[in-house]
């Protein structure tokens, strides 16, 4: 049996905090315990928020924690052409359409709809796409694109769903309501998700499934906040003919007030803790992991 392959995949849009330390250390511990490999991926497709100094800090902080990853780091911004090809493939199959409403217009459309009746929301609480992109004719789309209008490329969820039928994934961890074992994917709960944008030829969902497949990841270990995103990942894997890893979603660390940790909070930032003399061993203790072997 080939060794299991794990990955830690942070976005360099801020400094790492205790929650990242937990996720990274858990990946490293599981890789070590199972005789597996640990890969590192930098998820930097959002050029407006990602910065080289955050990427440099990720390497420093992980090394300080004692985490050892394979030398070849995959940086998503180096592979935009690959994601572009996948979008072209989905577009050629009629599964993707451009939607031209701005974020402000979408908010207004949802408010109009909610004035009449409740409007469905995705598992993260954001309203489903309420716009008319799917109804536009080929000529209308071409005209808008030629005019230079910004757009998002959205997945036609109904068409995609009809192509692949029922999907499940193997969950070794736990979802927000304790879901575990074989979980039924519900990608339709996300509506027509954004797959790429005019200025960014990909999205988190698309890049993550392509990279997990190309890096040969067998076990995805990440926070439970991404549990239901796995539905979209399973759908994209099925559409693009990519293998499905097994998933292990772990609980999220919370601050004293019960809030999710944030990249901007000094109280839980790894750099601040290090500057205050906290040791990597104490970090393991703080996140509830047994001392390193
Ligand atoms: N880049 C994502 C984050 O920093 C994690 C993606 C994943 O593990 O699938 O939240």
């Amino acid at each position: 049996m080939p060794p299991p392959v794990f990955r830690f995949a942070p976005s360099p849009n801020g400094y790492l905090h205790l929650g990242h330390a937990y996720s990274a250390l858990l990946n490293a511990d599981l890789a070590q315990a199972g005789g597996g490999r640990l890969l590192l991926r930098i998820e930097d497709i959002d050029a407006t928020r990602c910065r080289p100094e955050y990427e440099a800090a990720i390497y420093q902080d992980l090394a300080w924690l004692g985490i050892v990853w394979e030398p070849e780091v995959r940086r998503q911004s180096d592979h935009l052409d690959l994601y572009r090809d996948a979008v072209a493939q989905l577009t050629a199959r009629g599964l993707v359409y451009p939607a031209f409403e701005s974020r402000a217009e979408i908010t207004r459309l949802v408010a109009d709809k909610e004035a009449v009746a409740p409007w469905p929301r995705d598992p993260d609480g954001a309203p489903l796409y309420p716009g008319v992109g799917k109804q536009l004719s080929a000529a209308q789309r071409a005209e808008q694109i030629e005019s230079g209008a910004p757009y998002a490329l959205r997945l036609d969820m109904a068409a995609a769903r009809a192509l692949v039928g029922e999907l499940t994934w193997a969950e070794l961890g736990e979802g927000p309501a304790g879901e575990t074992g074989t979980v039924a994917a519900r990608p339709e709960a996300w509506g027509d998700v954004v797959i790429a944008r005019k200025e960014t030829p990909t999205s988190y969902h698309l890049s993550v499934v392509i990279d997990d497949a190309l890096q040969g990841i067998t076990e995805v270990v990440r926070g439970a906040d991404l549990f239901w995103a796995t539905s979209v990942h399973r759908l994209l894997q099925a559409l693009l003919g990519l293998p499905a890893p097994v998933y292990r979603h772990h609980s999220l660390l919370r601050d004293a007030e019960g809030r999710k940790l944030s990249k901007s909070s000094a109280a839980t930032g790894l750099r601040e803790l290090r500057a205050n003399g906290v040791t990597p061993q104490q970090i393991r203790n703080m996140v509830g992991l047994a001392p390193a072997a």
Side-chain angles (χ1 to χ4, degrees):
M1 265 266 288
V5 187
F6 295 80
R7 57 36 164 211
F8 179 57
S11 299
N13 55 13
Y15 293 114
L16 301 186
H17 55 56
L18 280 176
H20 299 105
Y22 176 53
S23 204
L25 287 166
L26 186 59
N27 267 289
D29 285 7
L30 287 164
Q32 200 182 23
R37 301 166 54 200
L38 177 64
L39 307 184
L40 179 60
R41 183 163 78 225
I42 300 295
E43 301 212 322
D44 61 346
I45 56 171
D46 184 348
T48 58
R49 295 176 62 218
C50 293
R51 302 220 197 107
E53 58 266 36
Y54 293 137
E55 184 179 331
I58 288 172
Y59 302 135
Q60 275 170 17
D61 292 349
L62 294 180
W64 174 70
L65 285 171
I67 289 172
V68 180
W69 61 92
E70 290 188 8
E72 202 187 323
V73 173
R74 186 176 177 88
R75 193 187 289 112
Q76 290 189 324
S77 59
D78 292 338
H79 300 281
L80 297 181
D81 282 346
L82 197 71
Y83 310 134
R84 219 174 254 124
D85 287 350
V87 173
Q89 197 195 115
L90 295 172
T91 308
R93 289 158 74 194
L95 296 173
V96 168
Y97 63 84
F100 300 93
E101 294 90 353
S102 65
R103 287 194 170 90
E105 274 172 287
I106 288 182
T107 304
R108 195 171 40 75
L109 284 171
V110 170
D112 290 350
K113 301 219 181 249
E114 285 187 329
V116 183
W119 184 251
R121 293 189 170 244
D122 70 25
D124 283 349
L128 300 199
Y129 172 62
V132 297
K134 199 165 138 177
Q135 282 95 55
L136 298 183
S137 67
Q140 285 170 316
R141 288 174 187 169
E143 188 188 320
Q144 291 262 33
I145 288 175
E146 245 162 68
S147 78
Y151 56 87
L153 292 172
R154 289 182 175 272
L155 187 68
D156 180 339
M157 184 57 74
R161 204 65 174 98
L163 270 187
V164 303
E166 293 310 308
L167 293 166
T168 60
W169 79 84
E171 176 63 48
L172 302 177
E174 208 171 79
E179 301 88 344
T180 190
T182 302
V183 179
R186 295 194 291 111
E188 58 283 354
W190 294 91
D192 289 358
V193 283
V194 173
I195 286 299
R197 293 185 187 277
K198 184 184 177 191
E199 70 285 3
T200 311
T202 187
S203 58
Y204 159 64
H205 295 310
L206 186 68
S207 302
V208 90
V209 298
I210 291 177
D211 287 351
D212 283 341
L214 285 179
Q215 293 190 287
I217 305 301
T218 59
E219 190 167 330
V220 169
V221 178
R222 62 183 178 196
D225 52 340
L226 292 168
F227 184 83
W228 285 116
T230 311
S231 289
V232 177
H233 301 169
R234 289 292 298 115
L235 176 61
L236 289 172
Q237 284 157 356
L239 291 173
L240 295 169
L242 304 174
V246 301
Y247 291 85
R248 185 189 295 268
H249 291 93
H250 59 72
S251 54
L252 297 181
L253 299 188
R254 309 233 161 231
D255 67 12
E257 282 78 48
R259 287 181 305 238
K260 261 171 66 171
L261 303 186
S262 113
K263 278 188 166 149
S264 55
S265 160
T268 53
L270 294 183
R271 300 173 82 71
E272 286 83 355
L273 292 164
R274 181 163 82 222
N276 289 334
V278 175
T279 66
Q281 208 50 256
Q282 287 169 322
I283 300 275
R284 290 188 68 92
N285 191 32
M286 288 165 86
V287 301
L289 286 170

